[in-house]
Amino acid sequence: MIELAPSSVRLFRRFVDDLHTTSPRRLPARPDLSAFADDDVEAARLSWASRIVDEYRSVAVFAELLHLLTDLEAPFSVLCTVHRLIGDELRHTQLTATVVEWLGGSADLAIDLSEVSLPPRPAGESAPARAVQIIARELVIVEQESIYALAAYRDATTEPSIRAVLDLVLLDEVRHAAAGRGILEELRRGPHGAAVAAELARLDRQLAIDRDHLRSVYRASAHGGPGRALGAVLELRDLERIWARAS
């Protein structure tokens, strides 16, 4: 687990403070959990701890994308956008860890971020193809489906501070999915446009498979139980309501 506590080095604190100013909203106040049963709090603690790994994985994936786009000499605006996405995911990593601390802390949990892995890269895959894979599959499809799941978790959560955290992350994810679609359009118009278009055509079926798989995973995990009011679990009706609204 990386060190998420404030640094004693003043220079580093300035960079951290600058990153937090990019948040669309301020961190809500620590919640009073005295009204919640112990099993609700524990279920929520474990659920939020798993999200630390998910958010940090996005940092790694988008960092690879920035490297690829830098090598491809993507437009400055595109590089700035992906740079911002990495910062957002770093904020989310710390934000989810903060919620875990609210819920009792992580000292007894094994949160191993060294196990975060990037999608496999076939031998001989070109940089444009790899970039399109990440943008289309990881940024557009995964982020878009996470919007629906986050909206469902937010709507099911009744504790105000934790609901506000979910809403904050949701605001960023909406922009991320939109950014992915915008980056693909920009790359289509650039010097690698033919390669980008060819890779998108090849991926057309895979993207539908990815979306169906993600929804099946969300359905399988929507079994209800302790911690629903603290953003830990969903019931299937929570997801179906959001999907129906989006269709």
Side-chain angles (χ1 to χ4, degrees):
M1 181 68 177
I2 63 172
E3 178 59 65
L4 292 169
S7 173
S8 60
V9 180
R10 180 178 300 177
L11 175 63
F12 295 164
R13 292 202 302 270
R14 289 182 59 187
F15 285 109
V16 171
D17 290 345
D18 286 347
L19 177 60
H20 283 304
T21 63
T22 67
S23 177
R25 293 179 183 165
R26 295 172 62 89
L27 178 69
R30 187 185 190 100
D32 177 3
L33 302 175
S34 59
F36 295 93
D38 290 346
D39 60 342
D40 286 312
V41 175
E42 179 62 8
R45 185 175 76 103
L46 297 177
S47 177
W48 279 92
S50 71
R51 291 172 183 156
I52 297 174
V53 179
D54 294 339
E55 298 294 347
Y56 197 69
R57 180 182 179 276
S58 294
V59 174
V61 170
F62 297 159
E64 183 190 2
L65 177 59
L66 182 61
H67 186 182
L68 289 164
L69 293 175
T70 301
D71 287 347
L72 292 171
E73 299 183 353
F76 177 73
S77 58
V78 169
L79 298 179
C80 286
T81 298
V82 178
H83 181 268
R84 173 60 186 269
L85 298 184
I86 296 169
D88 288 348
E89 299 298 347
L90 280 169
R91 283 195 295 102
H92 296 174
T93 301
Q94 187 178 54
L95 187 57
T96 50
T98 298
V99 176
V100 173
E101 291 306 308
W102 289 348
L103 295 165
S106 59
D108 61 330
L109 301 178
I111 303 174
D112 188 359
L113 298 184
S114 68
E115 296 299 317
V116 170
S117 60
L118 296 173
R121 184 173 187 178
E125 184 177 50
S126 69
R130 178 64 168 181
V132 170
Q133 284 263 349
I134 293 175
I135 299 165
R137 299 183 69 183
E138 300 282 344
L139 186 49
V140 175
I141 297 298
V142 172
E143 297 287 283
Q144 182 65 53
E145 291 304 312
S146 75
I147 290 170
Y148 302 139
L150 281 166
Y153 276 109
R154 179 202 58 193
D155 292 351
T157 300
T158 58
E159 200 297 310
S161 290
I162 293 181
R163 183 184 174 100
V165 168
L166 287 163
D167 199 47
L168 193 160
V169 176
L170 177 59
L171 285 172
D172 283 334
E173 298 299 298
V174 169
R175 293 197 317 153
H176 291 187
R181 293 188 292 270
I183 293 169
L184 287 175
E185 287 301 317
E186 187 71 22
L187 294 180
R188 278 196 188 102
R189 294 192 291 266
H192 304 286
V196 169
E199 184 64 14
L200 282 172
R202 190 186 72 80
L203 282 175
D204 186 59
R205 175 61 182 155
Q206 182 61 56
L207 297 180
I209 292 172
D210 287 352
R211 181 180 287 107
D212 289 345
H213 172 70
L214 285 167
R215 293 203 175 188
S216 69
V217 170
Y218 285 132
R219 284 191 183 95
S221 65
H223 45 64
R228 184 168 182 269
L230 297 170
V233 293
L234 293 173
E235 297 173 357
L236 185 55
R237 61 188 172 90
D238 298 321
L239 286 168
E240 289 177 339
R241 185 183 303 114
I242 295 296
W243 289 333
R245 191 186 307 165
S247 63

PDB file of all heavy atoms in Angstrom, residues 149-181:
ATOM      1  N   ALA A 149     -23.071   2.314 -12.390  1.00  0.00           N
ATOM      2  CA  ALA A 149     -22.928   1.661 -11.088  1.00  0.00           C
ATOM      3  C   ALA A 149     -22.787   2.688  -9.969  1.00  0.00           C
ATOM      4  O   ALA A 149     -23.414   2.562  -8.908  1.00  0.00           O
ATOM      5  CB  ALA A 149     -21.725   0.725 -11.113  1.00  0.00           C
ATOM      6  N   LEU A 150     -21.975   3.719 -10.200  1.00  0.00           N
ATOM      7  CA  LEU A 150     -21.799   4.751  -9.180  1.00  0.00           C
ATOM      8  C   LEU A 150     -23.103   5.484  -8.895  1.00  0.00           C
ATOM      9  O   LEU A 150     -23.411   5.797  -7.737  1.00  0.00           O
ATOM     10  CB  LEU A 150     -20.727   5.749  -9.630  1.00  0.00           C
ATOM     11  CG  LEU A 150     -19.278   5.313  -9.458  1.00  0.00           C
ATOM     12  CD1 LEU A 150     -18.358   6.234 -10.251  1.00  0.00           C
ATOM     13  CD2 LEU A 150     -18.882   5.306  -7.985  1.00  0.00           C
ATOM     14  N   ALA A 151     -23.868   5.752  -9.944  1.00  0.00           N
ATOM     15  CA  ALA A 151     -25.161   6.417  -9.741  1.00  0.00           C
ATOM     16  C   ALA A 151     -26.086   5.539  -8.903  1.00  0.00           C
ATOM     17  O   ALA A 151     -26.821   6.040  -8.040  1.00  0.00           O
ATOM     18  CB  ALA A 151     -25.797   6.740 -11.087  1.00  0.00           C
ATOM     19  N   ALA A 152     -26.034   4.232  -9.150  1.00  0.00           N
ATOM     20  CA  ALA A 152     -26.863   3.312  -8.367  1.00  0.00           C
ATOM     21  C   ALA A 152     -26.414   3.276  -6.911  1.00  0.00           C
ATOM     22  O   ALA A 152     -27.246   3.309  -5.991  1.00  0.00           O
ATOM     23  CB  ALA A 152     -26.806   1.914  -8.981  1.00  0.00           C
ATOM     24  N   TYR A 153     -25.096   3.210  -6.679  1.00  0.00           N
ATOM     25  CA  TYR A 153     -24.584   3.234  -5.309  1.00  0.00           C
ATOM     26  C   TYR A 153     -24.944   4.547  -4.618  1.00  0.00           C
ATOM     27  O   TYR A 153     -25.353   4.552  -3.446  1.00  0.00           O
ATOM     28  CB  TYR A 153     -23.069   3.042  -5.308  1.00  0.00           C
ATOM     29  CG  TYR A 153     -22.610   1.611  -5.362  1.00  0.00           C
ATOM     30  CD1 TYR A 153     -22.007   1.099  -6.516  1.00  0.00           C
ATOM     31  CD2 TYR A 153     -22.743   0.769  -4.267  1.00  0.00           C
ATOM     32  CE1 TYR A 153     -21.577  -0.221  -6.577  1.00  0.00           C
ATOM     33  CE2 TYR A 153     -22.314  -0.544  -4.307  1.00  0.00           C
ATOM     34  CZ  TYR A 153     -21.734  -1.038  -5.467  1.00  0.00           C
ATOM     35  OH  TYR A 153     -21.318  -2.348  -5.518  1.00  0.00           O
ATOM     36  N   ARG A 154     -24.786   5.645  -5.320  1.00  0.00           N
ATOM     37  CA  ARG A 154     -25.110   6.948  -4.719  1.00  0.00           C
ATOM     38  C   ARG A 154     -26.576   7.011  -4.319  1.00  0.00           C
ATOM     39  O   ARG A 154     -26.919   7.449  -3.217  1.00  0.00           O
ATOM     40  CB  ARG A 154     -24.794   8.062  -5.715  1.00  0.00           C
ATOM     41  CG  ARG A 154     -25.113   9.466  -5.201  1.00  0.00           C
ATOM     42  CD  ARG A 154     -25.299  10.446  -6.343  1.00  0.00           C
ATOM     43  NE  ARG A 154     -26.355  10.018  -7.253  1.00  0.00           N
ATOM     44  CZ  ARG A 154     -26.556  10.549  -8.461  1.00  0.00           C
ATOM     45  NH1 ARG A 154     -25.783  11.523  -8.898  1.00  0.00           N
ATOM     46  NH2 ARG A 154     -27.529  10.114  -9.231  1.00  0.00           N
ATOM     47  N   ASP A 155     -27.449   6.571  -5.217  1.00  0.00           N
ATOM     48  CA  ASP A 155     -28.881   6.661  -4.935  1.00  0.00           C
ATOM     49  C   ASP A 155     -29.296   5.741  -3.794  1.00  0.00           C
ATOM     50  O   ASP A 155     -30.266   6.028  -3.076  1.00  0.00           O
ATOM     51  CB  ASP A 155     -29.681   6.327  -6.191  1.00  0.00           C
ATOM     52  CG  ASP A 155     -29.525   7.387  -7.284  1.00  0.00           C
ATOM     53  OD1 ASP A 155     -28.943   8.456  -6.996  1.00  0.00           O
ATOM     54  OD2 ASP A 155     -29.973   7.137  -8.417  1.00  0.00           O
ATOM     55  N   ALA A 156     -28.564   4.620  -3.620  1.00  0.00           N
ATOM     56  CA  ALA A 156     -28.896   3.672  -2.553  1.00  0.00           C
ATOM     57  C   ALA A 156     -28.312   4.083  -1.204  1.00  0.00           C
ATOM     58  O   ALA A 156     -28.748   3.596  -0.161  1.00  0.00           O
ATOM     59  CB  ALA A 156     -28.402   2.274  -2.922  1.00  0.00           C
ATOM     60  N   THR A 157     -27.326   4.981  -1.223  1.00  0.00           N
ATOM     61  CA  THR A 157     -26.638   5.385   0.004  1.00  0.00           C
ATOM     62  C   THR A 157     -27.417   6.485   0.705  1.00  0.00           C
ATOM     63  O   THR A 157     -27.778   7.491   0.088  1.00  0.00           O
ATOM     64  CB  THR A 157     -25.216   5.883  -0.336  1.00  0.00           C
ATOM     65  OG1 THR A 157     -24.487   4.828  -0.968  1.00  0.00           O
ATOM     66  CG2 THR A 157     -24.481   6.319   0.915  1.00  0.00           C
ATOM     67  N   THR A 158     -27.632   6.298   1.993  1.00  0.00           N
ATOM     68  CA  THR A 158     -28.387   7.301   2.756  1.00  0.00           C
ATOM     69  C   THR A 158     -27.511   8.147   3.675  1.00  0.00           C
ATOM     70  O   THR A 158     -27.941   9.214   4.111  1.00  0.00           O
ATOM     71  CB  THR A 158     -29.483   6.625   3.605  1.00  0.00           C
ATOM     72  OG1 THR A 158     -28.878   5.673   4.496  1.00  0.00           O
ATOM     73  CG2 THR A 158     -30.498   5.909   2.712  1.00  0.00           C
ATOM     74  N   GLU A 159     -26.286   7.700   3.986  1.00  0.00           N
ATOM     75  CA  GLU A 159     -25.397   8.489   4.841  1.00  0.00           C
ATOM     76  C   GLU A 159     -24.890   9.674   4.008  1.00  0.00           C
ATOM     77  O   GLU A 159     -24.257   9.468   2.975  1.00  0.00           O
ATOM     78  CB  GLU A 159     -24.235   7.626   5.339  1.00  0.00           C
ATOM     79  CG  GLU A 159     -23.539   8.173   6.567  1.00  0.00           C
ATOM     80  CD  GLU A 159     -22.865   9.520   6.325  1.00  0.00           C
ATOM     81  OE1 GLU A 159     -22.113   9.631   5.324  1.00  0.00           O
ATOM     82  OE2 GLU A 159     -23.094  10.457   7.119  1.00  0.00           O
ATOM     83  N   PRO A 160     -25.116  10.920   4.428  1.00  0.00           N
ATOM     84  CA  PRO A 160     -24.854  12.080   3.572  1.00  0.00           C
ATOM     85  C   PRO A 160     -23.405  12.226   3.121  1.00  0.00           C
ATOM     86  O   PRO A 160     -23.147  12.539   1.946  1.00  0.00           O
ATOM     87  CB  PRO A 160     -25.286  13.265   4.435  1.00  0.00           C
ATOM     88  CG  PRO A 160     -26.299  12.696   5.377  1.00  0.00           C
ATOM     89  CD  PRO A 160     -25.829  11.302   5.670  1.00  0.00           C
ATOM     90  N   SER A 161     -22.424  12.043   4.001  1.00  0.00           N
ATOM     91  CA  SER A 161     -21.029  12.250   3.615  1.00  0.00           C
ATOM     92  C   SER A 161     -20.569  11.212   2.609  1.00  0.00           C
ATOM     93  O   SER A 161     -19.877  11.529   1.625  1.00  0.00           O
ATOM     94  CB  SER A 161     -20.128  12.228   4.851  1.00  0.00           C
ATOM     95  OG  SER A 161     -20.337  13.374   5.646  1.00  0.00           O
ATOM     96  N   ILE A 162     -20.933   9.957   2.810  1.00  0.00           N
ATOM     97  CA  ILE A 162     -20.519   8.903   1.890  1.00  0.00           C
ATOM     98  C   ILE A 162     -21.267   9.043   0.565  1.00  0.00           C
ATOM     99  O   ILE A 162     -20.699   8.824  -0.510  1.00  0.00           O
ATOM    100  CB  ILE A 162     -20.722   7.519   2.534  1.00  0.00           C
ATOM    101  CG1 ILE A 162     -19.742   7.392   3.713  1.00  0.00           C
ATOM    102  CG2 ILE A 162     -20.510   6.402   1.518  1.00  0.00           C
ATOM    103  CD1 ILE A 162     -19.796   6.077   4.440  1.00  0.00           C
ATOM    104  N   ARG A 163     -22.513   9.439   0.643  1.00  0.00           N
ATOM    105  CA  ARG A 163     -23.257   9.725  -0.598  1.00  0.00           C
ATOM    106  C   ARG A 163     -22.564  10.856  -1.366  1.00  0.00           C
ATOM    107  O   ARG A 163     -22.457  10.806  -2.601  1.00  0.00           O
ATOM    108  CB  ARG A 163     -24.690  10.108  -0.256  1.00  0.00           C
ATOM    109  CG  ARG A 163     -25.581  10.362  -1.474  1.00  0.00           C
ATOM    110  CD  ARG A 163     -26.966  10.827  -1.036  1.00  0.00           C
ATOM    111  NE  ARG A 163     -27.787  11.198  -2.171  1.00  0.00           N
ATOM    112  CZ  ARG A 163     -28.720  10.439  -2.724  1.00  0.00           C
ATOM    113  NH1 ARG A 163     -28.939   9.226  -2.241  1.00  0.00           N
ATOM    114  NH2 ARG A 163     -29.431  10.854  -3.751  1.00  0.00           N
ATOM    115  N   ALA A 164     -22.081  11.868  -0.667  1.00  0.00           N
ATOM    116  CA  ALA A 164     -21.393  12.989  -1.319  1.00  0.00           C
ATOM    117  C   ALA A 164     -20.093  12.541  -1.968  1.00  0.00           C
ATOM    118  O   ALA A 164     -19.715  13.051  -3.032  1.00  0.00           O
ATOM    119  CB  ALA A 164     -21.133  14.100  -0.304  1.00  0.00           C
ATOM    120  N   VAL A 165     -19.383  11.607  -1.342  1.00  0.00           N
ATOM    121  CA  VAL A 165     -18.155  11.072  -1.942  1.00  0.00           C
ATOM    122  C   VAL A 165     -18.480  10.360  -3.255  1.00  0.00           C
ATOM    123  O   VAL A 165     -17.803  10.547  -4.268  1.00  0.00           O
ATOM    124  CB  VAL A 165     -17.447  10.117  -0.965  1.00  0.00           C
ATOM    125  CG1 VAL A 165     -16.339   9.339  -1.678  1.00  0.00           C
ATOM    126  CG2 VAL A 165     -16.854  10.891   0.212  1.00  0.00           C
ATOM    127  N   LEU A 166     -19.500   9.530  -3.242  1.00  0.00           N
ATOM    128  CA  LEU A 166     -19.901   8.829  -4.461  1.00  0.00           C
ATOM    129  C   LEU A 166     -20.299   9.817  -5.554  1.00  0.00           C
ATOM    130  O   LEU A 166     -19.957   9.629  -6.730  1.00  0.00           O
ATOM    131  CB  LEU A 166     -21.056   7.875  -4.157  1.00  0.00           C
ATOM    132  CG  LEU A 166     -20.675   6.629  -3.362  1.00  0.00           C
ATOM    133  CD1 LEU A 166     -21.913   5.969  -2.771  1.00  0.00           C
ATOM    134  CD2 LEU A 166     -19.909   5.642  -4.237  1.00  0.00           C
ATOM    135  N   ASP A 167     -20.976  10.869  -5.187  1.00  0.00           N
ATOM    136  CA  ASP A 167     -21.387  11.869  -6.164  1.00  0.00           C
ATOM    137  C   ASP A 167     -20.174  12.602  -6.729  1.00  0.00           C
ATOM    138  O   ASP A 167     -20.131  12.914  -7.926  1.00  0.00           O
ATOM    139  CB  ASP A 167     -22.352  12.857  -5.513  1.00  0.00           C
ATOM    140  CG  ASP A 167     -23.161  13.633  -6.536  1.00  0.00           C
ATOM    141  OD1 ASP A 167     -23.703  13.003  -7.465  1.00  0.00           O
ATOM    142  OD2 ASP A 167     -23.255  14.867  -6.411  1.00  0.00           O
ATOM    143  N   LEU A 168     -19.182  12.854  -5.889  1.00  0.00           N
ATOM    144  CA  LEU A 168     -17.966  13.527  -6.335  1.00  0.00           C
ATOM    145  C   LEU A 168     -17.229  12.670  -7.363  1.00  0.00           C
ATOM    146  O   LEU A 168     -16.819  13.151  -8.426  1.00  0.00           O
ATOM    147  CB  LEU A 168     -17.073  13.816  -5.121  1.00  0.00           C
ATOM    148  CG  LEU A 168     -15.886  14.761  -5.280  1.00  0.00           C
ATOM    149  CD1 LEU A 168     -15.455  15.273  -3.912  1.00  0.00           C
ATOM    150  CD2 LEU A 168     -14.714  14.088  -5.964  1.00  0.00           C
ATOM    151  N   VAL A 169     -17.057  11.386  -7.050  1.00  0.00           N
ATOM    152  CA  VAL A 169     -16.376  10.486  -7.991  1.00  0.00           C
ATOM    153  C   VAL A 169     -17.186  10.365  -9.280  1.00  0.00           C
ATOM    154  O   VAL A 169     -16.627  10.343 -10.390  1.00  0.00           O
ATOM    155  CB  VAL A 169     -16.154   9.104  -7.348  1.00  0.00           C
ATOM    156  CG1 VAL A 169     -15.540   8.132  -8.363  1.00  0.00           C
ATOM    157  CG2 VAL A 169     -15.247   9.223  -6.127  1.00  0.00           C
ATOM    158  N   LEU A 170     -18.501  10.316  -9.151  1.00  0.00           N
ATOM    159  CA  LEU A 170     -19.363  10.217 -10.323  1.00  0.00           C
ATOM    160  C   LEU A 170     -19.171  11.408 -11.262  1.00  0.00           C
ATOM    161  O   LEU A 170     -19.116  11.250 -12.492  1.00  0.00           O
ATOM    162  CB  LEU A 170     -20.822  10.117  -9.872  1.00  0.00           C
ATOM    163  CG  LEU A 170     -21.894  10.068 -10.954  1.00  0.00           C
ATOM    164  CD1 LEU A 170     -21.691   8.877 -11.874  1.00  0.00           C
ATOM    165  CD2 LEU A 170     -23.281  10.014 -10.318  1.00  0.00           C
ATOM    166  N   LEU A 171     -19.046  12.598 -10.705  1.00  0.00           N
ATOM    167  CA  LEU A 171     -18.820  13.784 -11.535  1.00  0.00           C
ATOM    168  C   LEU A 171     -17.565  13.624 -12.390  1.00  0.00           C
ATOM    169  O   LEU A 171     -17.558  13.964 -13.580  1.00  0.00           O
ATOM    170  CB  LEU A 171     -18.690  15.027 -10.646  1.00  0.00           C
ATOM    171  CG  LEU A 171     -19.963  15.589 -10.025  1.00  0.00           C
ATOM    172  CD1 LEU A 171     -19.616  16.685  -9.027  1.00  0.00           C
ATOM    173  CD2 LEU A 171     -20.898  16.121 -11.100  1.00  0.00           C
ATOM    174  N   ASP A 172     -16.500  13.110 -11.779  1.00  0.00           N
ATOM    175  CA  ASP A 172     -15.263  12.893 -12.533  1.00  0.00           C
ATOM    176  C   ASP A 172     -15.432  11.818 -13.597  1.00  0.00           C
ATOM    177  O   ASP A 172     -14.951  11.961 -14.734  1.00  0.00           O
ATOM    178  CB  ASP A 172     -14.136  12.484 -11.584  1.00  0.00           C
ATOM    179  CG  ASP A 172     -13.557  13.649 -10.799  1.00  0.00           C
ATOM    180  OD1 ASP A 172     -13.638  14.787 -11.287  1.00  0.00           O
ATOM    181  OD2 ASP A 172     -13.031  13.409  -9.701  1.00  0.00           O
ATOM    182  N   GLU A 173     -16.117  10.734 -13.259  1.00  0.00           N
ATOM    183  CA  GLU A 173     -16.243   9.624 -14.201  1.00  0.00           C
ATOM    184  C   GLU A 173     -17.046  10.019 -15.442  1.00  0.00           C
ATOM    185  O   GLU A 173     -16.770   9.542 -16.548  1.00  0.00           O
ATOM    186  CB  GLU A 173     -16.900   8.419 -13.517  1.00  0.00           C
ATOM    187  CG  GLU A 173     -16.116   7.848 -12.348  1.00  0.00           C
ATOM    188  CD  GLU A 173     -14.746   7.334 -12.755  1.00  0.00           C
ATOM    189  OE1 GLU A 173     -14.672   6.399 -13.566  1.00  0.00           O
ATOM    190  OE2 GLU A 173     -13.754   7.879 -12.255  1.00  0.00           O
ATOM    191  N   VAL A 174     -18.034  10.870 -15.265  1.00  0.00           N
ATOM    192  CA  VAL A 174     -18.802  11.347 -16.419  1.00  0.00           C
ATOM    193  C   VAL A 174     -17.877  12.077 -17.388  1.00  0.00           C
ATOM    194  O   VAL A 174     -17.930  11.875 -18.611  1.00  0.00           O
ATOM    195  CB  VAL A 174     -19.958  12.260 -15.955  1.00  0.00           C
ATOM    196  CG1 VAL A 174     -20.589  12.971 -17.150  1.00  0.00           C
ATOM    197  CG2 VAL A 174     -21.012  11.445 -15.214  1.00  0.00           C
ATOM    198  N   ARG A 175     -17.017  12.906 -16.850  1.00  0.00           N
ATOM    199  CA  ARG A 175     -16.060  13.627 -17.701  1.00  0.00           C
ATOM    200  C   ARG A 175     -15.063  12.671 -18.336  1.00  0.00           C
ATOM    201  O   ARG A 175     -14.629  12.877 -19.470  1.00  0.00           O
ATOM    202  CB  ARG A 175     -15.315  14.686 -16.891  1.00  0.00           C
ATOM    203  CG  ARG A 175     -16.189  15.813 -16.409  1.00  0.00           C
ATOM    204  CD  ARG A 175     -15.380  17.012 -15.982  1.00  0.00           C
ATOM    205  NE  ARG A 175     -14.217  16.636 -15.206  1.00  0.00           N
ATOM    206  CZ  ARG A 175     -13.092  17.355 -15.141  1.00  0.00           C
ATOM    207  NH1 ARG A 175     -12.989  18.461 -15.839  1.00  0.00           N
ATOM    208  NH2 ARG A 175     -12.091  16.977 -14.378  1.00  0.00           N
ATOM    209  N   HIS A 176     -14.657  11.634 -17.600  1.00  0.00           N
ATOM    210  CA  HIS A 176     -13.675  10.694 -18.140  1.00  0.00           C
ATOM    211  C   HIS A 176     -14.213   9.965 -19.363  1.00  0.00           C
ATOM    212  O   HIS A 176     -13.517   9.829 -20.378  1.00  0.00           O
ATOM    213  CB  HIS A 176     -13.272   9.683 -17.069  1.00  0.00           C
ATOM    214  CG  HIS A 176     -12.483  10.270 -15.951  1.00  0.00           C
ATOM    215  ND1 HIS A 176     -11.908   9.499 -14.968  1.00  0.00           N
ATOM    216  CD2 HIS A 176     -12.170  11.554 -15.642  1.00  0.00           C
ATOM    217  CE1 HIS A 176     -11.278  10.288 -14.111  1.00  0.00           C
ATOM    218  NE2 HIS A 176     -11.438  11.541 -14.499  1.00  0.00           N
ATOM    219  N   ALA A 177     -15.434   9.470 -19.261  1.00  0.00           N
ATOM    220  CA  ALA A 177     -16.020   8.768 -20.408  1.00  0.00           C
ATOM    221  C   ALA A 177     -16.151   9.709 -21.607  1.00  0.00           C
ATOM    222  O   ALA A 177     -15.855   9.324 -22.747  1.00  0.00           O
ATOM    223  CB  ALA A 177     -17.372   8.181 -20.030  1.00  0.00           C
ATOM    224  N   ALA A 178     -16.574  10.940 -21.349  1.00  0.00           N
ATOM    225  CA  ALA A 178     -16.682  11.927 -22.428  1.00  0.00           C
ATOM    226  C   ALA A 178     -15.313  12.234 -23.016  1.00  0.00           C
ATOM    227  O   ALA A 178     -15.166  12.389 -24.237  1.00  0.00           O
ATOM    228  CB  ALA A 178     -17.343  13.202 -21.902  1.00  0.00           C
ATOM    229  N   ALA A 179     -14.300  12.311 -22.157  1.00  0.00           N
ATOM    230  CA  ALA A 179     -12.939  12.571 -22.632  1.00  0.00           C
ATOM    231  C   ALA A 179     -12.467  11.444 -23.536  1.00  0.00           C
ATOM    232  O   ALA A 179     -11.820  11.689 -24.567  1.00  0.00           O
ATOM    233  CB  ALA A 179     -11.992  12.729 -21.445  1.00  0.00           C
ATOM    234  N   GLY A 180     -12.775  10.201 -23.177  1.00  0.00           N
ATOM    235  CA  GLY A 180     -12.373   9.075 -24.006  1.00  0.00           C
ATOM    236  C   GLY A 180     -12.953   9.175 -25.405  1.00  0.00           C
ATOM    237  O   GLY A 180     -12.240   8.974 -26.409  1.00  0.00           O
ATOM    238  N   ARG A 181     -14.235   9.491 -25.483  1.00  0.00           N
ATOM    239  CA  ARG A 181     -14.857   9.618 -26.800  1.00  0.00           C
ATOM    240  C   ARG A 181     -14.242  10.781 -27.586  1.00  0.00           C
ATOM    241  O   ARG A 181     -14.001  10.663 -28.794  1.00  0.00           O
ATOM    242  CB  ARG A 181     -16.368   9.828 -26.631  1.00  0.00           C
ATOM    243  CG  ARG A 181     -17.092   8.608 -26.059  1.00  0.00           C
ATOM    244  CD  ARG A 181     -18.602   8.782 -26.096  1.00  0.00           C
ATOM    245  NE  ARG A 181     -19.065   9.810 -25.173  1.00  0.00           N
ATOM    246  CZ  ARG A 181     -19.414   9.585 -23.911  1.00  0.00           C
ATOM    247  NH1 ARG A 181     -19.330   8.367 -23.407  1.00  0.00           N
ATOM    248  NH2 ARG A 181     -19.843  10.566 -23.139  1.00  0.00           N
TER     249      ARG A 181
END
